[in-house]
Amino acid sequence: MSTATEQQHWPGPLSAAVARVCTGLQPQVSERTAAGFAEVLRRLSAPLQVAVAGRIKSGKSTLVNALIGRRVAPTDVGECTRLVTRFQYGTVDRVEVVFHDGKKQAVPFDADGGIPADLGVDIDEVSHLEAYLTNAVLRDLTVIDTPGLGSLDAASVARTEELLGTRKEDDDAADSDLDPVSRNAVAGAEAVLYVVTQGVRADDEQALAAFTAATASREAGPVNAIAVLNKADTIEPSSVEDSGGEVWKAASLLAEKQAQLLKPKVADVLPVIGLLAETAESGEFTAADAEALRGLAQLDEATRETLLLSADLFTSWECDVPAGTRNRLLERMDLFGIRSALEAIDADPEITAGALRRRLLDSSGLASVLNRLDTVFRARADGIKAAAALASVTALAHASGDQGERQRVHDAIEVLLAKPEAHQLRVLEALTLVAAGAVAMPADLAEEVMRVGSSNDVGEQLGLPGRHRNELTDYALERANWWRSFSSFGATPAQSRIAHVVHRAYFLIWQQLRSG
């Protein structure tokens, strides 16, 4: 007969191996720790949880709507934007208000299919919202929309920190099923999409660390965090050197600079226009909008250029396209999107509304963000979730105060990590330590650790993409030998532990290439 663990669905072999460790340990630990392990198992079998975080008015909720493909997250400032909202897959669309005492209350979507602005409950009693949607994108990714950082009331910040596992609970939480440390260990998001605008502020890195924290205070890094430069269309090209006067070129260059500021906390910074992406992906761009744009394209050149000078002129200047229609276009696309659409119509006057929508989507930069979500998060969800689960298990054991229990958990994890198939967890741990600065490494070696641990592609791991197998094989063995020597001569004890992990990673790659 199969066990409950075997019947559950795991993201991959690493998660399944960690699940077996949890299940095997449950009879050997206290009831409270075992309850914590049960929560770890529950989350381990759930889709990867990605928190969308950033400063207030950075356009997080608009980007969430674009990712989901539906305008459901509220974007106007209101009580709902002060709450954490978890968007997850469900067979029936519904929204549930979850209160601090654990009770739930269903609320209907508004007339436009979004979360209502007024929930009809006392907001101070609300923990968070759970939105269940039939969107396929949520089958393997739970998206967590968080309140903006910086200008929020203390209650909003506390609710966010509590749900994401970054808050140190007070004594009021003592009567919950799990103690505060246990709750923090199992409640955190496992990955983060961090939203910045033109200026990266000094406290962005601190905020990023707080919201990325995967479980048990795991640090942000290229394994579990990427950032986007939102509102890329608002960047003035003249303010960015070498932009050539092009908005998107300016945004790309600025994103590269921001990546240098935020790395190694994030894998990358990508430019995106969230509003345009939301409009194109969520069905907000209609055939009527396409016709209105055709009307604008037919205006005389002087009138058209005047309209595009500013938002005020676009809606107030006299022309044949009604002001109300222009106002809708501005709200949905902004001037950059409108200009892009007009250029597409100029190039192909017969372009269909569907093709125009796709052109706008291409102009938004969303495709690159979705691709990075796939390569950084989805493709490595097994490793991310397994590493986060192990961190939670370790934290739960340490919180028990029982030395024997702590030792049993430690021994079981060490047995798991000694297996070749689980070595990727060691690599992720090493990468996290180096990315967080917990182990200081020379810049070139730190970069090599990041490279080895940040990709599933052997060529990229070795820094030799596209090279012949024989060349990759020789190089893997060469680097394995180098790191083994470094671990024995010249490395500090902490560096030596990292070096052993990297040596073994290269050795396993060499074995894989030889046998393949």
Side-chain angles (χ1 to χ4, degrees):
M1 181 180 296
S2 61
T3 66
T5 301
E6 291 169 340
Q7 291 171 351
Q8 284 181 279
H9 171 73
W10 310 111
L14 292 176
S15 295
V18 174
R20 287 192 293 271
V21 169
C22 287
T23 304
L25 285 169
Q26 279 181 309
Q28 305 176 46
V29 298
S30 68
E31 184 176 344
R32 183 175 289 274
T33 303
F37 286 2
E39 278 295 297
V40 172
L41 285 167
R42 181 188 63 79
R43 288 195 53 224
L44 196 55
S45 65
L48 185 72
Q49 299 191 82
V50 178
V52 180
R55 307 204 66 80
I56 192 169
K57 296 184 179 179
S58 60
K60 298 181 312 303
S61 297
T62 299
L63 188 60
V64 166
N65 289 334
L67 295 174
I68 295 173
R70 173 172 166 180
R71 202 165 189 268
V72 63
T75 55
D76 295 329
V77 176
E79 65 179 22
C80 284
T81 57
R82 295 163 51 199
L83 296 171
V84 174
T85 304
R86 291 165 44 87
F87 294 94
Q88 53 199 306
Y89 183 78
T91 54
V92 177
D93 287 2
R94 69 185 192 278
V95 181
E96 292 181 349
V97 179
V98 182
F99 296 93
H100 291 297
D101 61 7
K103 293 180 181 177
K104 298 181 179 181
Q105 177 179 321
V107 295
F109 288 102
D110 63 22
D112 295 323
I115 294 175
D118 183 2
L119 297 173
V121 299
D122 184 350
I123 194 72
D124 292 330
E125 296 180 0
V126 177
S127 166
H128 64 283
L129 303 180
E130 299 274 1
Y132 297 88
L133 304 172
T134 54
N135 300 53
V137 70
L138 297 174
R139 284 185 179 273
D140 58 357
L141 206 67
T142 292
V143 179
I144 305 173
D145 189 12
T146 66
L149 305 173
S151 301
L152 285 179
D153 57 279
S156 297
V157 174
R159 277 191 294 264
T160 305
E161 291 177 339
E162 180 178 342
L163 186 68
L164 296 181
T166 60
R167 182 185 181 197
K168 292 184 178 179
E169 303 286 345
D170 55 28
D171 293 337
D172 292 338
D175 58 353
S176 115
D177 290 337
L178 297 177
D179 60 35
V181 175
S182 301
R183 291 176 63 189
N184 283 344
V186 301
E190 294 149 337
V192 71
L193 179 64
Y194 194 73
V195 183
V196 297
T197 48
Q198 292 188 38
V200 173
R201 291 169 49 163
D203 56 351
D204 271 319
E205 189 169 336
Q206 296 174 350
L208 178 59
F211 277 83
T212 58
T215 50
S217 299
R218 287 177 55 78
E219 292 287 344
V223 171
N224 65 347
I226 59 177
V228 295
L229 168 59
N230 198 14
K231 304 183 181 182
D233 55 318
T234 64
I235 294 166
E236 178 55 53
S238 62
S239 67
V240 181
E241 189 177 353
D242 298 327
S243 69
E246 298 180 18
V247 172
W248 197 257
K249 177 68 172 176
S252 299
L253 290 170
L254 185 57
E256 290 175 8
K257 292 179 181 178
Q258 291 182 332
Q260 297 308 311
L261 292 174
L262 291 177
K263 284 182 177 179
K265 293 291 185 184
V266 299
D268 208 349
V269 179
L270 302 169
V272 69
I273 305 172
L275 177 63
L276 202 54
E278 178 193 55
T279 296
E281 274 289 81
S282 64
E284 292 295 311
F285 183 76
T286 65
D289 294 328
E291 286 307 307
L293 287 164
R294 292 185 202 284
L296 289 172
Q298 292 167 6
L299 296 173
D300 65 87
E301 185 176 349
T303 300
R304 182 166 141 176
E305 286 305 311
T306 301
L307 289 173
L308 294 174
L309 285 175
S310 72
D312 287 341
L313 285 172
F314 185 78
T315 54
S316 63
W317 196 260
E318 289 294 329
C319 75
D320 292 339
V321 179
T325 300
R326 283 179 278 153
N327 191 61
R328 172 184 162 82
L329 290 176
L330 191 65
E331 289 178 349
R332 294 289 184 266
M333 303 168 62
D334 222 331
L335 288 178
F336 179 86
I338 293 168
R339 189 177 288 109
S340 297
L342 294 178
E343 290 173 357
I345 294 172
D346 290 343
D348 180 7
E350 301 301 318
I351 190 171
T352 65
L356 194 54
R357 183 196 70 82
R358 289 191 293 273
R359 184 70 63 86
L360 293 174
L361 187 59
D362 290 342
S363 299
S364 74
L366 182 65
S368 294
V369 176
L370 293 175
N371 179 62
R372 290 299 275 164
L373 283 173
D374 283 339
T375 56
V376 176
F377 292 160
R378 277 194 177 91
R380 294 154 57 194
D382 183 31
I384 294 173
K385 291 183 70 68
L390 277 184
S392 293
V393 168
T394 301
L396 289 163
H398 276 263
S400 73
D402 184 329
Q403 183 59 40
E405 181 172 293
R406 187 181 305 178
Q407 190 62 49
R408 284 191 293 276
V409 171
H410 176 270
D411 292 346
I413 291 175
E414 287 301 307
V415 169
L416 168 64
L417 294 178
K419 298 177 179 178
E421 60 269 24
H423 185 70
Q424 183 61 21
L425 293 174
R426 292 275 197 200
V427 175
L428 293 177
E429 180 185 24
L431 185 151
T432 302
L433 290 172
V434 173
V439 177
M441 301 285 286
D444 57 334
L445 298 186
E447 184 178 343
E448 188 170 353
V449 175
M450 301 291 178
R451 190 181 67 231
V452 171
S454 297
S455 175
N456 288 331
D457 180 83
V458 169
E460 292 183 4
Q461 285 178 304
L462 299 178
L464 301 172
R467 301 292 182 88
H468 191 273
R469 175 184 291 272
N470 290 340
E471 186 176 354
L472 297 177
T473 304
D474 292 342
Y475 186 73
L477 183 59
E478 175 188 328
R479 295 311 295 163
N481 291 333
W482 188 94
W483 280 91
R484 181 175 58 187
S485 298
F486 175 67
S487 69
S488 303
F489 307 101
T492 66
Q495 290 174 341
S496 182
R497 288 191 291 273
I498 299 294
H500 277 297
V501 173
V502 179
H503 154 70
R504 184 164 171 77
Y506 275 123
F507 184 75
L508 291 173
I509 291 173
W510 176 72
Q511 285 188 320
Q512 174 188 339
L513 289 168
R514 286 190 66 202
S515 61

